[in-house]
Every structure is written in C-alpha cells, then in structure tokens.
C-alpha cells in the first residue's frame, strides 16, 4: 500500500499544518504589523508551563525557565540550497490539493491531494530512484547541528530527535480545501505531539522575497501576537514546545514559503534512532 503511516495517519487534524508550521493572525488575512520582532542571538527566557513539562528528565527537561531564540545564518547558503533541492524532489512526487504540502522522510509521509502517501513506497511503485544517503547528507548534518545548538542554549544534552520532523511548503496560490489545509490556527506543540519538548524551525525561504506574510507569531496571555519572527533563509528558531509559547502562522498572501521543522523529546521511547534509515546506499 502507498498510504502513509505513523503520526500523520493517526493525527490528520493534528497536522493542520498548524502542525507547527508556525502561526497566523486571529483574523484570516490580517497582519499585526505593530508586533515587535523577536531579537536574534539572545535567549528570551520565560516561566515554563508546569502542565506541559511535568515529567522531569535530568539534563533535558526545562526546569527553572523555558525560552526561545532566533539565530541568523545558522544554515549556509549551500546547505539551504541542498535542503531546498531535497524538498523539491520529494514534493514533486505528490503535493497537497490545498496550500500546504508536507514531506516527512523519516515516516515517509508525503501530502498527495487530500491525503498522505508513503514516499518510499511511491518511489518503488513508480520505479523512481529513491533518495540516496549522500543526497541526504546535508539534511543529516544540519539536524545534528540543530541538536548541538539545543544543548548549547538550553542545556538539553540528553534530548532525542523525535517524530514528526518534516519539510513544509505553503503555496499562496492554492486555497484551503480541507481542514488540514488551515495552517494558520493557534496551537501549542505539546498538545499536538505529546513527545515534543523542544521545537526547531529552519527557514528555507525569505519573507518579502519568496513570499509575503507567513511570519511566526508568538501569542501572549490574551491570544494577541506579542512577538514575531520573519522567515529568512538560514534562520533558525528554537523554543520550548509547551503552553508557555502558543503560536500561529500568518497567512501567506503570495508566493511560496518553505521551512524545516525539527523536534526533540526527553522520552527515549519516542526517539528516532536513525531518521534517514530508509535512504538507499550509493551505487
């Protein structure tokens, strides 16, 4: 069967690429231009949500404070180009019927029309050469560096990569057709994916160049946006995944927005040991 399995099959609504794609304004199409930009290079600390971080794991779980940080130039131009090429080749095998398209190379989940298929099965069924390990080397290296940055800024040396970790593309020229296409809703990552403790977002496109809108908006207590991150190629955002940081994605009004979401857990049972194990050897 070509159908996808794993977290995408069991949480179709969860994906609403609110699935952490990252936020939009409360009213469709509205841009809160007065929202302050999140400063780059500085860890912005917040009190953790106790409900979101109940289980304490030494050298992993945030305890005294949670936080968020944006880092410019985290991925080089060459790395962004390589990751973009991976996403393009994979997504060419499918494509969502509405605005968002998801590609999760670990589980194989790929948006195709209004459902998910397994891209690795699709490669086999169509006779298309699958991704090789060398093709995905930049992906592997960047994810490893994101984990190192997590340890550096949050002291989470015992964190594990978890699922889903995925590419997401939002195309403004495709109106939403099903609930999963409505990526702009406010959400908390730990409520959508209970294994999440830390969320990483690496941008592979630039607002104002590749698309308009599409900022990551963090919300305050009243649900209004209180800080914004404008996507820029190579920019990484790391934040604790609990209720201390509800967020949403601004609607993309034109162009195409591309990003990579990387998630980490403190629960070894939810860890991904080899997230690219389905890639084929180079011949």
């Amino acid at each position: 069967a070509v159908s996808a399995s794993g977290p995408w099959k069991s949480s179709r609504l969860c994906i609403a690429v609110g699935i952490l794609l990252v936020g939009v304004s409360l009213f469709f199409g509205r841009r809160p231009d007065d929202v302050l930009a999140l400063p780059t290079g500085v860890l912005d600390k917040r009190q953790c949500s106790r409900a979101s971080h109940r289980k304490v794991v030494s050298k992993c779980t945030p305890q005294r404070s949670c936080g968020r940080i944006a880092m410019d130039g985290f991925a080089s131009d060459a790395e962004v180009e390589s990751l973009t090429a991976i996403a393009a080749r994979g997504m060419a095998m499918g494509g969502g019927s509405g605005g968002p398209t998801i590609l999760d190379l670990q589980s194989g989940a790929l948006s195709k029309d209004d459902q998910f298929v397994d891209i690795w099965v699709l490669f086999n069924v169509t006779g298309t050469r699958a991704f090789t390990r060398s093709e995905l080397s930049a992906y592997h290296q960047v994810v490893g560096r994101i984990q190192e940055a997590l340890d550096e800024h949050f002291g989470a040396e015992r964190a594990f990569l978890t699922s889903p970790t995925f590419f997401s593309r939002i195309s403004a020229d495709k109106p939403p057709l099903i609930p999963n296409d409505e990526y702009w809703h406010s959400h908390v990552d730990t409520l959508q994916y209970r294994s999440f403790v830390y969320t990483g977002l690496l941008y592979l496109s630039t607002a104002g160049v590749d698309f308009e809108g599409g900022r990551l908006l963090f919300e305050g207590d009243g649900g209004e946006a209180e800080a914004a991150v404008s996507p820029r190629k190579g920019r990484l955002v790391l934040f604790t995944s609990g209720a201390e940081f509800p967020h949403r994605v601004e609607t993309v009004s034109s162009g195409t927005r591309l990003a990579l979401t990387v998630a980490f857990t403190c629960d070894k049972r939810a860890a991904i040991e080899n997230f690219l194990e389905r890639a084929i050897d180079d011949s």
Side-chain angles (χ1 to χ4, degrees):
V2 181
S3 298
S5 60
W8 304 105
K9 183 177 181 180
S10 61
S11 57
R12 294 284 304 268
L13 266 185
C14 228
I15 180 183
V17 204
I19 161 182
L20 327 286
L21 261 180
V22 194
V24 79
S25 49
L26 288 174
F27 301 101
F28 189 92
R30 177 189 169 203
R31 264 195 95 172
D33 292 314
D34 56 340
V35 178
L36 294 177
L38 183 70
T40 59
V42 179
L43 181 62
D44 179 27
K45 295 182 179 181
R46 288 286 178 86
Q47 183 175 352
C48 294
S49 164
R50 292 184 179 181
S52 298
H53 305 286
R54 289 178 179 174
K55 186 176 180 180
V56 176
V57 177
S58 176
K59 297 182 180 180
C60 186
T61 312
Q63 297 182 46
R64 294 185 178 180
S65 63
C66 288
R68 57 190 177 186
I69 185 170
M71 292 169 275
D72 282 344
F74 182 85
S76 68
D77 291 344
E79 287 172 328
V80 169
E81 184 176 352
S82 294
L83 292 171
T84 300
I86 291 169
R89 184 158 107 77
M91 291 178 179
M93 299 290 292
S97 54
T101 294
I102 294 296
L103 173 63
D104 179 347
L105 289 177
Q106 188 273 327
S107 71
L110 168 67
S111 302
K112 187 172 176 62
D113 299 327
D114 62 351
Q115 60 183 333
F116 288 101
V117 298
D118 189 322
I119 189 173
W120 300 104
V121 175
L122 199 59
F123 280 139
N124 185 52
V125 169
T126 61
T128 304
R129 180 181 58 80
F131 285 112
T132 64
R133 297 187 188 283
S134 63
E135 274 185 290
L136 301 180
S137 60
Y139 187 16
H140 185 272
Q141 292 167 10
V142 168
V143 169
R145 288 205 348 264
I146 292 174
Q147 187 157 10
E148 292 173 0
L150 180 69
D151 181 21
E152 176 185 353
H153 295 286
F154 293 88
E157 63 181 79
R158 293 185 179 176
F160 303 95
L161 184 70
T162 194
S163 180
T165 284
F166 59 94
F167 292 94
S168 58
R169 181 182 71 198
I170 300 177
S171 302
D173 61 349
K174 292 185 177 181
L177 298 179
I178 59 176
N180 285 354
D181 295 335
E182 297 178 2
Y183 59 85
W184 51 82
H185 297 295
S186 174
H187 62 280
V188 172
D189 291 346
T190 54
L191 296 180
Q192 291 193 331
Y193 302 99
R194 297 191 180 279
S195 65
F196 280 32
V197 179
Y198 300 95
T199 302
L201 299 165
L202 179 64
Y203 294 111
L204 305 176
S205 54
T206 300
V209 177
D210 302 301
F211 63 93
E212 295 296 332
R215 292 180 300 169
L216 166 61
L217 301 176
F218 289 104
E219 295 178 334
D221 294 336
E224 291 296 319
E226 52 88 14
V229 178
S230 185
R232 177 184 297 175
K233 287 183 179 180
R235 174 175 283 176
L236 174 69
V237 184
L238 282 173
F239 57 95
T240 48
S241 307
E244 63 276 356
F245 289 125
H247 53 280
R248 45 194 163 95
V249 171
E250 195 171 41
T251 45
V252 177
S253 58
S254 65
T256 302
R257 179 187 189 272
L258 184 65
L260 172 64
T261 295
V262 181
F264 299 93
T265 185
C266 296
D267 184 353
K268 191 172 183 178
R269 296 170 299 178
I272 300 173
E273 297 298 336
N274 182 359
F275 77 110
L276 297 178
E277 63 182 350
R278 299 176 75 180
I280 62 175
D281 293 327
D282 296 276
S283 56

